[in-house]
Each structure stands twice: as structure tokens, then as C-alpha cells.
Amino acid sequence: MRVSVNFARFSAVALAAFVACVVPMPGASTLQAQDTRLAAEAQFRDWLTQTVWPDAQKQGVSRETFERNVAAIGLDWDLPELQPPGQAAPPDDQRQAEFQSPGRYFAQAQLASLAKSGRDLLQRWASVLDGIERRYGVPREIIVAIWGRESQFGRVTARHQALRVLATQAFMGRRRALYYPELLAALVILEEDHFSGETLLSSWAGAMGQPQLLPSKFLRYAVDADADGRRDVWHSVPDSLASIANYLREHGWKPDLRWGFEASLPQAVSCTLEGPRQGRPMLEWLRLGPTPAAGGTSPEWNGNATAFLVMPAGRLGPAFLVSENFYVLKQYNESDLYALFIGHLADRMRGASAFTGSWQPIDTLRRGQIQALQERLKSQGYDVGKVDGLVGFATRTAIGQWQSKSGRDETCFPDAALVQALR
């Protein structure tokens, strides 16, 4: 498709300005790096006009909106997980060189601070939350907990321009296929919601506003709760809170069903019973022996309702019995630890105490070591889920099954000895 004169002229000016800003440095490698960047910038301009514009037009984006917001953007070379044209892909463990203890996710100082601020904000926004709770059926503490976790209740302001982030990642990021639809969705937001490109601020990963929604999620779940004609999740607290609630409801949140509770798990109950594939009625779980941990919150759902065992650190950390709403929380962020953090923070706002069980020290393992362990277990017929170097529930249960079969104590969590034994 022919590029408009204005856009072509702007592209040339922008590229010339980029060249003028390059400070010459001695050394062949530096000059080569500069040449690589200049070549990538030129390819980026061609890609915007020849690939992105036709697809954006199919999504209903006007030429005026596209040129106004895209013509001036350049690549953001400071973002992680980039793979410039002609270069090898970065390793998957670039941003997670070592697998850390799950217990670090639950820093008590942070939880106490968020809980205190959350209780204050529950009072401040009580009338707004009353209406949101009635409409969506999601407890206000859960909504405010997500708000606090994602953006410190709106206090942390993203500094990245979402369009630049998404365009860079879609053009030369390791996960191009994920980011390209998000780039198009951001352009649709600019067209339909009449925001400026400067308004769409995001994290380095493109998550926007106080609820940290990716553009496609914004289009589907963002709500204009204050009725000002805009779904402004950057500046409007009512819009942000209602958008979180709408997201959870649309993903199946069940009103009047608590997320779960910390449980005391007898040694006779195997840690290999963990995970979303092994749900059973709460009464059946209680007959097996798990009980609410001392000081914990007892279940508030029907004994015939399905519950699931969750042990993010295996026997090296607390255990939990959770409802289906726990897995709705995981739809917001695909992480057991995240869902536990939100549920626990919501409970802390209601006055609950810290976890009773302790997070024990774990061996520091590199992601590559975990992936090799997964491949070895898979070759022996164990279901480890995705071979990705992350210790998810399937990998934890596979480890426990291998330990049991090998006559070892079940911990359902990897350590250095296990890595050595499975080489």
C-alpha cells in the first residue's frame, strides 16, 4: 500500500534526526552496533507502513489516527527480551537467571503496608465499591487487593509509552506473536476511545493504567464507571476498580465463595494431590485430614463445593485449600503466587494474620537446570506440564511422584540433590 506523503516525509526526517543523534565512538564493534541499529530503524519504518498500517486499517483505525500516533515513534532499545533483525534470540532466563524462593513473594513489610493502605481506601471509596460489588458480585477487598498489587493503588505511574513498547516488542521482541495483536488493539483504543498516544502509558511489558491491563483486555473489560464518557484506567479510580471487577466476573467469579484458606496438611496426605486437575468436594478433603491452619480463615462455602490443594513450595512452604475463585484470580495473572498474594492480602484487609506455615529455604537453581529436570522426568513418563524451566503444579506433582517411587521423602519441590539424581 502506498505511503502517504506526510508520513513518508516524517519518516525521513525522523530517521535523519536519529542519525544525527548518534555520537561517534571509536572501535569497529561500536560502529557495527550503530549500523545495526540504523538498519533496524529503517526496517521498522517500512514494517509500520507496509505491515502494521494495512492490518490496523482492517481493524477500523483511520489513517489520521495512525499517522498522528505512529509516525513519530522509534524503537525502544532499552526494553528486555529484544531480538533485533539478524541477531540470535536471547535466552529465556534473561530476566530470571535464578529461580527464587516462593516465600520472597510474600514480604511481610509489603503485605502489612498494602493492607493498612487498603483498609483506608476501602473506607474512602466505600460508596463506589458498594455499587461495584452489587453489580459484579466481586468482594471489594479482592478488587482493592489487585489494585494495590498492580499499581500501589494508583500511586505508581507507568512511564513508558504503550504504543512504543508494543511496536518495539511486536517488531523485534522475543514474543512477537503475543505483542502484535496488542499493538493493533492499542491503535483501536486510540481510534475508539479518543485518547492521545501520550495518555496510553504502560509498563515495559505494555500493561496499562492502574489495573495494568493489556490493550486487548482493556477493549474487552474496561468500564466507564464514573460516566464521563471515557474508560480512563489511568486517572479514574472508579473506572479502574470497576474494570478489575468486570474482568473477574467475566472470567467466572462466583459471588459469596471465598478464594480459599491456609490449611494444615498431615504427612499422611500426599503433596502429589495438588493442582486444578484433582479437585474434590470440601467435605472429602476434610475427611482426608487437612484442617484450617491455626488462626486461619475457615472455608465459607458448601461442603459439596469443589476445593483444590495448592502447595507452591511443596512441603517446603504452607499449604492451601482453594475454591474455583482462586483460579479466576489466576486469569488476571497466571501465577499461583499472585493468586495467593491477592487472596491473602484481601484477608489481611479484613483483619487476618500472616501465614501460619513458614517458607523454608530452598536451593538456588537456574532456570536451565529446572528445564533439564523437566525433560528428564518427561522422558520417564511423568507429566510435568510445559517444559519451560518454571516449577508449576504439574512439575511439583511429578517430582513428588518420582520421589515416592524412588523411596525418597515427598517434598514435591526441586533441590540440588534431585537435579543431580535426575541427570
Side-chain angles (χ1 to χ4, degrees):
M1 178 168 290
R2 186 176 66 87
V3 181
S4 71
V5 175
N6 289 340
F7 186 74
R9 183 183 300 124
F10 199 102
S11 299
V13 172
L15 186 57
F18 179 86
V19 174
C21 290
V22 174
V23 180
M25 298 290 288
S29 61
T30 301
L31 293 174
Q32 184 178 9
Q34 292 173 359
D35 289 342
T36 298
R37 288 199 174 191
L38 287 172
E41 291 281 348
Q43 293 178 44
F44 177 62
R45 305 311 308 176
D46 291 340
W47 174 76
L48 287 173
T49 58
Q50 297 173 15
T51 300
V52 179
W53 161 240
D55 287 343
Q57 186 179 36
K58 294 174 184 176
Q59 298 288 328
V61 177
S62 68
R63 187 71 191 194
E64 191 275 333
T65 295
F66 183 80
E67 290 193 4
R68 183 179 68 249
N69 292 286
V70 172
I73 66 172
L75 292 168
D76 187 342
W77 292 89
D78 293 328
L79 296 177
E81 301 182 349
L82 298 183
Q83 183 189 355
Q87 296 188 18
D92 284 350
D93 58 359
Q94 179 178 347
R95 289 184 61 81
Q96 188 176 343
E98 296 176 344
F99 187 83
Q100 303 295 337
S101 169
R104 295 187 181 183
Y105 202 90
F106 301 93
Q108 288 306 306
Q110 180 190 28
L111 278 163
S113 176
L114 288 173
K116 182 180 183 301
S117 296
R119 285 190 290 269
D120 294 340
L121 291 166
L122 285 169
Q123 295 181 5
R124 179 179 175 184
W125 294 100
S127 60
V128 170
L129 288 164
D130 285 343
I132 291 174
E133 217 172 35
R134 285 194 300 269
R135 180 174 180 182
Y136 299 103
V138 180
R140 64 190 64 205
E141 293 87 358
I142 290 289
I143 298 168
V144 172
I146 291 177
W147 184 30
R149 178 67 188 179
E150 294 296 342
S151 64
Q152 294 281 320
F153 310 109
R155 296 168 188 161
V156 176
T157 303
R159 298 180 179 179
H160 293 277
Q161 288 192 7
L163 213 58
R164 187 185 184 201
V165 166
L166 297 168
T168 300
Q169 293 287 9
F171 174 70
M172 62 177 188
R174 180 171 58 84
R175 296 178 292 170
R176 295 175 179 82
L178 168 67
Y179 281 106
Y180 189 70
E182 298 299 339
L183 171 61
L184 297 178
L187 290 167
V188 173
I189 293 172
L190 296 172
E191 181 71 32
E192 294 183 352
D193 289 78
H194 308 294
F195 290 110
S196 66
E198 292 75 18
T199 300
L200 267 64
L201 296 178
S202 75
S203 69
W204 68 264
M208 305 185 307
Q210 297 182 38
Q212 288 290 276
L213 298 173
L214 286 170
S216 63
K217 305 303 183 185
F218 175 97
L219 288 173
R220 186 167 180 179
Y221 305 112
V223 174
D224 177 19
D226 58 16
D228 68 349
R230 285 191 169 191
R231 300 179 290 177
D232 189 355
V233 297
W234 293 268
H235 306 103
S236 170
V237 170
D239 288 4
S240 298
L241 297 177
S243 297
I244 292 170
N246 186 43
Y247 188 105
L248 295 178
R249 183 188 67 173
E250 291 299 311
H251 282 84
W253 184 273
K254 295 186 177 180
D256 303 321
L257 183 62
R258 294 291 292 275
W259 70 272
F261 64 97
E262 185 184 358
S264 177
L265 192 72
Q267 286 294 326
V269 179
S270 173
C271 55
T272 63
L273 296 177
E274 184 198 359
R277 304 170 184 169
Q278 303 189 80
R280 61 185 68 198
M282 174 57 68
L283 287 176
E284 186 175 338
W285 278 114
L286 297 178
R287 282 195 292 267
L288 285 175
T291 57
T297 304
S298 60
E300 295 181 5
W301 59 75
N302 185 293
N304 291 321
T306 303
F308 309 85
L309 179 64
V310 172
M311 302 178 70
R315 289 279 182 188
L316 305 182
F320 305 86
L321 285 174
V322 304
S323 73
E324 294 175 23
N325 281 344
F326 173 85
Y327 292 102
V328 175
L329 292 175
K330 282 192 65 175
Q331 293 293 321
Y332 207 95
N333 184 318
E334 186 61 29
S335 163
D336 287 340
L337 297 179
Y338 178 89
L340 284 173
F341 188 99
I342 297 304
H344 181 57
L345 177 56
D347 288 346
R348 294 282 283 266
M349 291 180 196
R350 300 186 185 103
S353 58
F355 293 139
T356 299
S358 62
W359 301 93
Q360 300 178 35
I362 67 170
D363 290 345
T364 298
L365 300 174
R366 295 184 63 84
R367 190 167 177 175
Q369 291 176 293
I370 301 296
Q371 187 168 346
L373 181 149
Q374 290 172 322
E375 291 171 346
R376 182 61 175 166
L377 286 170
K378 185 177 179 180
S379 70
Q380 295 183 25
Y382 293 95
D383 179 7
V384 299
K386 186 177 181 181
V387 178
D388 56 6
L390 301 177
V391 189
F393 75 89
T395 296
R396 295 194 294 268
T397 56
I399 288 171
Q401 290 164 358
W402 182 89
Q403 289 170 324
S404 178
K405 185 177 180 180
S406 303
R408 299 169 179 247
D409 291 338
E410 285 185 10
T411 66
C412 295
F413 206 79
D415 57 22
L418 181 67
V419 170
Q420 184 68 27
L422 279 168
R423 280 186 174 179

